[in-house]
Amino acid sequence: MPIHLSSVNRRQFLSQSAAALAGVSVLRIGYAAPVAESMTLALLSDTHIPKSAKVTAREVNMTANLQQAVGQINQLPSKPAAVLFNGDCAYLSGLPADYANFANCIQPLIDADQELHMTMGNHDNIPAFYDALKTQRPEQPPVESKHVSILETPYANFFLLDSLMKTNVVTGELGDAQLKWLSDALDARADKPAIVMAHHTLQKVAPPEGKAWGGILDTAKFLELMHAKKQVKAYVFGHSHVWSHTRDGDLHLINLPASAYVFDPAQPNGWTLARLNNSGIEFELQAHDQSHQNHQQVFAVKW
Ligand SMILES: [Zn+2]
């Protein structure tokens, strides 16, 4: 989708509000300042926002955690090119009231004209999500019944996938139609590094008898695809409520922390500031508890 605009027109085009760009599944961001040599993104995952701001889980108020992160993002010294929510926006079963509270929490980001994108997790519900956040509904979904989008930036392209199989069922799935779309979309953008993002963890080995498949059911096909496209540098995911950086061969695996609660008390919760330039991307943990030993830890992916 080549767009040729003069720099003035380009700035005008890119300063349009998210609402004006509603329904766009392929978006160019970060081109507003042509002289910039880097850009930032704010990444959140597993916000688990319940219907009421009073609801707590595991001694955590999820609404307060998201409100704190939103305040911090709006106070960053330079505005991020986009704010990405990597699934499990809603608490457990993707209720309309969960998304109403979620929409309230992120209203300060909308007021600040931040570019917002969400992926869907196993606790999300696409129709309820679209009802509450109408600008997220694409006019023509690139993949039927899936919420996917592409963010093209000067330094790398982001492919935001949908691993939601069924609301409130832990298992994730991409499906052959989405994998075919991803393969074609990557082939059409082979000239730049690619970051692939979806909610669920990878899972190569089937679980023991009687246990649910907690990661992506079609991990084998998905991994084969990412390894086959040499521009894919990292897979970014959430779901496990763990902050970590591992690898599968040359592919970097970045596990975003939960904004909500943790399952392992040693793990931090918080959000992630990503810095991107011509030579790679860095992920810096913004722990809700700034005295956590991993606060401001940086995971670097070079290319
Ligand atoms: Zn979660």
Side-chain angles (χ1 to χ4, degrees):
M1 191 185 72
I3 298 173
H4 300 288
L5 298 170
S6 72
S7 61
V8 171
N9 284 338
R10 173 177 287 175
R11 267 196 296 277
Q12 285 171 345
F13 172 72
L14 288 156
S15 69
Q16 290 178 70
S17 69
L21 294 168
V24 177
S25 294
V26 179
L27 191 67
R28 288 161 63 87
I29 59 168
Y31 289 87
V35 294
E37 288 171 358
S38 66
M39 59 177 275
T40 57
L41 299 167
L43 311 177
L44 296 97
S45 193
D46 296 271
T47 54
H48 288 279
I49 295 303
K51 62 185 179 184
S52 160
K54 292 183 195 149
V55 173
T56 60
R58 296 172 185 261
E59 298 174 24
V60 164
N61 184 307
M62 296 79 84
T63 306
N65 279 8
L66 177 53
Q67 287 169 333
Q68 178 186 322
V70 163
Q72 290 170 341
I73 291 164
N74 270 349
Q75 283 167 20
L76 287 169
S78 62
K79 183 177 168 181
V83 184
L84 312 183
F85 292 81
N86 197 17
D88 283 1
C89 301
Y91 181 26
L92 295 175
S93 48
L95 301 174
D98 298 346
Y99 292 111
N101 187 16
F102 180 79
N104 272 339
C105 290
I106 65 169
Q107 188 61 45
L109 297 175
I110 296 169
D111 293 343
D113 208 19
Q114 301 275 12
E115 184 64 48
L116 306 178
H117 292 268
M118 291 87 189
T119 68
M120 294 286 97
N122 46 300
H123 294 294
D124 287 307
N125 177 285
I126 295 179
F129 166 71
Y130 285 156
D131 279 350
L133 291 142
K134 295 195 168 39
T135 59
Q136 295 292 318
R137 185 197 300 265
E139 276 169 12
Q140 289 180 318
V143 182
E144 194 183 345
S145 306
K146 290 285 192 184
H147 181 68
V148 298
S149 50
I150 299 171
L151 302 181
E152 297 177 339
T153 83
Y155 313 105
N157 297 315
F158 289 76
F159 298 79
L160 309 186
L161 308 184
D162 181 349
S163 58
L164 165 59
M165 188 180 79
K166 186 166 187 250
T167 301
N168 216 2
V169 170
V170 68
T171 308
E173 186 178 44
L174 295 167
D176 288 347
Q178 183 171 199
L179 289 173
K180 172 76 169 75
W181 169 79
L182 175 62
S183 178
D184 292 346
L186 283 166
D187 286 347
R189 294 165 186 80
D191 57 326
K192 262 186 206 162
I195 309 288
V196 178
M197 180 181 276
H199 176 72
H200 279 80
T201 44
L202 301 174
Q203 183 174 347
K204 292 183 183 179
V205 180
E209 189 73 27
K211 283 255 187 181
W213 194 295
I216 294 176
L217 203 54
D218 40 4
T219 291
K221 284 183 191 171
F222 182 36
L223 257 181
E224 187 185 344
L225 168 60
M226 287 195 287
H227 282 301
K229 315 285 182 184
K230 289 302 160 200
Q231 73 269 39
V232 178
K233 304 301 181 191
Y235 175 56
V236 178
F237 56 100
H239 189 53
S240 60
H241 299 212
V242 165
W243 161 246
S244 72
H245 179 194
T246 56
R247 285 181 187 219
D248 186 273
D250 290 341
L251 182 69
H252 291 262
L253 306 176
I254 303 290
N255 197 164
L256 299 177
S259 172
Y261 36 82
V262 294
F263 303 122
D264 169 359
Q267 279 291 326
N269 54 3
W271 58 281
T272 307
L273 184 64
R275 281 182 294 269
L276 187 62
N277 62 25
N278 271 331
S279 59
I281 183 168
E282 288 182 348
F283 300 86
E284 183 181 309
L285 174 67
Q286 308 296 309
H288 291 320
D289 171 9
Q290 297 191 352
S291 67
H292 192 282
Q293 61 171 355
N294 296 118
H295 178 54
Q296 297 186 317
Q297 183 179 21
V298 173
F299 296 151
V301 175
K302 296 282 172 208
W303 53 69

